[in-house]
Amino acid sequence: MADTSLPRRRATSSGNGWQNFDPFRLIWRGLTSVRFALGLIGLLAIFAALGLAIPQLPTEMRENPMFRTAWFEEQHDRFGVLAPPMERLGLFEVFRSVWFVSGLALLVASVCVCTANRLPPIWRNVFHPQTRVSDDYLTRGDASVKFEAPDAEPIAEGLRKRRYNVRTTQDNGATYIFADRYPWAQFATFISHLALILFLAGGLVTLISAREEQVLVAEGETPFPVFALNDPDHMQIYVERAVGEFDATGFPLDYRTFFTVYRDGEEVASGVSTVNEPLNYNGYNFHQTGFFPDGAALQVRDAETGRLVYDEVLALINTAATPRVVVRDANGAVILDDALVPTDTIGNTWGTSVRLGEERRFWIGARPSQDETGWRLVIFEFTGGEVPAGGSETERVSAILTEGEQLDLGGMTLNFAGMIGLPSSNVSGVPGLDGDGVAELSRGREGEVLTVGPFGGRALALAPGEPTVLDGYEYTFLGQRNFSGITVRRDPGAVVIWVATGVFMLGLALTFYTPRRRLWGKISAGQAAFRGLGGRHLAIEKEIREVAAQARHVDERAS
Amino acid sequence: MSNDPMPSELESRPQSRREWSGWLRSVVLPLGLVVAIVAGLLYLQANRGGLAHEEGIGNVELPAGLNPTGQTPNASEDRAAPDFILRAPDGETMRLSDLQGQPVIVNFWATWCSTCRAETPDLIQAYETHREAGLIMLGVNLRESSGPIETFIEEFGLSYPVLLDRNGQVAAAWRIGGPNQGVPATYFIDPEGVIRKVVFGYVTQTHMTEGLALIMAEEG
């Protein structure tokens, strides 16, 4: 005898009054409510939209109190009186705020409780289905399919051929049929829900434990630290070579960095990282996220002992306006075409001395015009080895040119081609430097020159590999260095998200490609009545009639 | 027979299929499962990829007879210096407490630390000046590999011993590398093993003079 009993329905309420108040049941009701879940998703969507619309505190600034304060001060200027309450509400850190993470956790809880709660009834449907229904249900309304059927077995066989699991029972001369196809497809719902849980759990794991640090490392220099010294994952990156490839227009084609990762004194990883193919170690991805060609390696030694006293790669991250000057001889041949990096000042003009031809020396500098309409090139010609002294500038100066203007120097023409930007940076701590100074890298016809100063009011112009001794120190520009921007990132949640994506696709595939269908039927006195679930009625009816037709065909052949 | 059972799907909408199975199964169990999954993931992440550490190297207990303060060793002024055994690049080991009886400067540094590089010439000079008077200086490198360290020693002409804190264990005990206490960090320790001065950051000439006065004065 088949099990014809209904699943026992449990009470959803157990009484009234505070005596029967059960907080867990209240929580359960909320967590299993679809409305509650939809409301929560809606709220989270609104907060996420706020997080996208309002500037968020960058990750790299979060850990640094100084940067953090500076960033918030900027927002105070921007949002005025609204900024303090916004800050208190966490609107500048929406995705890390307690309430957003709590909302997400609540959603995970809701999905989990719902899913766990649906498991028992669906389990019963799959493994202990209701195999017999009432005659009334079978014959009632348009949903019922009736036809002549002298024998139940050909119909059962026909259903089996259509991948149904068929169970037949006899009762009072009637044959009852229950046919079930792809019963386990019901678990597709769970798989999809599991995917949703994994998506949310992945997001939570990312929020809690994802780490990221961006470093700018010069090639060939001492390994650069990643994460604080007291961090268990403290590492160092040694960049052997940073390569940037550009097309003729300067458009970047590819960046790649050859580097080694050290941890606790041991080499733990080595390889190449590109923008799309990071190096992996211990769950961390080392992404190439930047390339910066304007580094200058500067070494300073004690001239007497030869000991190293300064060894840095200067990151020339700023741009200094520098005059470009073109000088031609009487035949029109170019004898100078260079950016003149200033090494000292005369009055309020920064400039440098230039030798033109065999005997003539000039001091050429640039300054903004007084009416702020552009730049002026100021030219003094040395007389008797000195720049003319005394008197006003207009009495001493040889010429003042505007941008594009040309000057006849007697056998030579000098053209002020305009101002160009050269890589530069403020520097400090260089032995011998007058306090803080400036370093500037120019690339002229004679190669690269690093200009650093002031040292006693003047700057040093250093060619690569050519040491210059000044006041007891030996200064050497070792050459230009590329910097590689590397982002070190670990996001354990990403793996969970990928798994969730796979699980979700599996759930979808099961839902769409393994449609569950159940049929109940009764065959008695040469008449059959069927009714089914799973899909549209017309499709169910069509399938039942096809099975019946095939059964008749079998009967006819048998007879 | 209209009282015969009917498929349950026809009886109710999906959202009303909720079944209260008791607070343990309906609420605590599913939530506990998720908490366990997330905690497991976090635990796996937190415990992955650790490198093996050498036994017997790192922090060691300071023998009671070598602690004149009566307080537990602590890397702060007027407390006994926490003891350690560390290896030098050549593989030899050195124990801090073995140096009692002489003034010691312990300088924590790293090759990537520009301030460390900047102060190194001054440290060398101070050491060269006072080594005849018994000053011992130890440069404890933090968590770096041999290559850059050897280059650093050679280029700067480091004349004082360098020790290797490979896993940062000693630095952690000495509270180096926190958000406000990164390298360099320098400790002036008197001949009795008591820290007399601590300098976080660049050791200026003033720091050096003050520190040396505190530890060298007690030498005799």
Side-chain angles (χ1 to χ4, degrees), chain A residues 262-342:
Chain A
Y262 295 95
R263 186 177 175 194
D264 292 354
E266 291 179 26
E267 179 183 324
V268 290
S270 184
V272 62
S273 174
T274 64
V275 175
N276 295 320
E277 292 176 16
L279 181 77
N280 308 105
Y281 163 66
N282 194 33
Y284 283 99
N285 286 327
F286 294 76
H287 293 269
Q288 165 102 39
T289 50
F291 178 79
F292 176 67
D294 298 321
L298 176 66
Q299 268 192 359
V300 184
R301 291 181 184 276
D302 185 306
E304 193 180 332
T305 63
R307 269 186 190 154
L308 194 65
V309 292
Y310 183 86
D311 183 19
E312 300 292 334
V313 176
L314 308 173
L316 307 175
I317 54 173
N318 301 320
T319 302
T322 311
R324 180 176 160 233
V325 173
V326 181
V327 181
R328 288 184 166 83
D329 64 14
N331 299 320
V334 175
I335 55 176
L336 177 75
D337 182 357
D338 218 342
L340 300 181
V341 179

Side-chain angles (χ1 to χ4, degrees), chain A residues 476-515:
Chain A
T476 309
F477 169 41
L478 298 177
Q480 175 267 345
R481 295 282 187 270
N482 292 332
F483 276 92
S484 183
I486 295 175
T487 299
V488 184
R489 183 182 296 141
R490 185 182 70 183
D491 182 4
V495 179
V496 183
I497 297 289
W498 279 113
V499 171
T501 306
V503 172
F504 187 66
M505 295 305 289
L506 177 68
L508 285 181
L510 284 176
T511 302
F512 287 111
Y513 294 110
T514 58

Side-chain angles (χ1 to χ4, degrees), chain A residues 91-258:
Chain A
L91 292 178
F92 293 120
E93 294 179 271
V94 168
F95 301 106
R96 283 188 167 264
S97 62
V98 172
W99 42 268
F100 187 82
V101 175
S102 303
L104 217 51
L106 207 53
L107 189 60
V108 172
S110 172
V111 175
C112 289
V113 170
C114 267
T115 305
N117 202 249
R118 291 284 307 278
L119 184 60
I122 291 184
W123 186 274
R124 278 197 300 273
N125 268 339
V126 173
F127 296 106
H128 306 286
Q130 185 178 348
T131 56
R132 187 168 159 187
V133 292
S134 69
D135 290 358
D136 184 46
Y137 171 72
L138 282 176
T139 54
R140 187 180 59 194
D142 295 336
S144 177
V145 183
K146 301 183 189 78
F147 53 91
E148 288 184 4
D151 189 6
E153 188 49 37
I155 294 173
E157 191 55 35
L159 288 168
R160 285 189 190 99
K161 283 180 180 169
R162 289 170 178 257
R163 299 184 180 176
Y164 280 90
N165 179 25
V166 182
R167 300 182 213 184
T168 57
T169 51
Q170 305 288 330
D171 192 14
N172 285 333
T175 303
Y176 289 89
I177 290 180
F178 172 69
D180 199 2
R181 188 170 63 189
Y182 304 136
W184 38 265
Q186 283 188 100
F187 287 120
T189 312
F190 284 99
I191 293 172
S192 299
H193 277 73
L194 176 66
L196 189 55
I197 291 169
L198 287 174
F199 275 125
L200 294 168
L204 280 176
V205 170
T206 295
L207 276 171
I208 294 167
S209 67
R211 308 191 67 186
E212 181 178 308
E213 186 161 314
Q214 294 175 353
V215 292
L216 194 62
V217 191
E219 60 181 353
E221 293 306 310
T222 194
F224 198 88
V226 183
F227 302 128
L229 264 173
N230 60 350
D231 192 299
D233 285 349
H234 172 79
M235 295 174 273
Q236 293 111 36
I237 296 174
Y238 170 71
V239 171
E240 186 184 329
R241 200 153 54 92
V243 181
E245 293 175 12
F246 303 86
D247 68 10
T249 63
F251 184 80
L253 298 174
D254 189 23
Y255 298 131
R256 58 184 65 237
T257 299
F258 300 84

